[in-house]
Amino acid sequence: MSAVISNEELKAIYEDASTKQEVKTAIENAVKSDEGHETAATQEKVLEFLQASKAATVLNKKPSNETMIDLYALYKQGLGATPGPAPSMIDFTGKVKYKAWQKVINKGITSDDAQTQYVELVKKLQAADQ
């Protein structure tokens, strides 16, 4: 197991302008164990998840719409975000995303499980991309 990375080092890795605030918040939340101590395993998992989220944006072959929706739902659940109110009836894309995320939640997929599934899916996409 590698050494524990400090919160400052972890945040600095993803400090570039393209990083959303929710990702920064996910880093801060995910690196704390129940006792408030950082663990190398948790940090490595979060780093792998965030690296996969960046890798998913630079694939040469665009994934299918279904796969894109799966990525979205797993990503949002992996961040530990909470869904807001359902989108309006005329927001078709928003409704599809919302339903996919709700499906992940209804299956009982935890944030940690979603991160693992997301990373595995991105790895499959990367392999198919070559």
Side-chain angles (χ1 to χ4, degrees):
M1 188 79 49
S2 65
V4 175
I5 302 167
S6 73
N7 280 345
E8 292 77 27
E9 292 171 314
L10 191 59
K11 284 191 258 185
I13 292 170
Y14 291 96
E15 201 61 39
D16 63 65
S18 65
T19 304
K20 295 181 181 176
Q21 183 61 41
E22 61 188 10
V23 174
K24 292 177 186 176
T25 302
I27 292 170
E28 292 167 359
N29 293 337
V31 297
K32 302 289 182 183
S33 69
D34 292 341
E35 299 85 37
H37 295 92
E38 298 172 9
T39 64
T42 301
Q43 287 185 343
E44 287 177 10
K45 187 173 187 171
V46 171
L47 276 173
E48 188 176 27
F49 172 68
L50 294 174
Q51 288 167 340
S53 71
K54 287 193 174 278
T57 66
V58 295
L59 294 169
N60 293 321
K61 298 176 188 170
K62 184 181 183 230
S64 69
N65 288 340
E66 183 177 312
T67 301
M68 293 291 285
I69 294 298
D70 290 342
L71 284 169
Y72 172 82
L74 291 171
Y75 176 78
K76 294 299 275 187
Q77 188 66 8
L79 288 176
T82 305
S88 71
M89 296 297 284
I90 59 172
D91 182 2
F92 299 113
T93 302
K95 285 184 65 155
V96 169
K97 289 178 172 181
Y98 186 84
K99 284 181 180 181
W101 190 5
Q102 285 298 318
K103 187 176 176 183
V104 167
I105 292 169
N106 292 341
K107 286 182 179 178
I109 297 173
T110 65
S111 180
D112 286 345
D113 291 340
Q115 288 180 5
T116 300
Q117 290 180 31
Y118 184 90
V119 169
E120 290 171 359
L121 181 54
V122 170
K123 284 180 181 178
K124 286 180 188 174
L125 293 170
Q126 286 177 315
D129 200 36
Q130 296 180 5

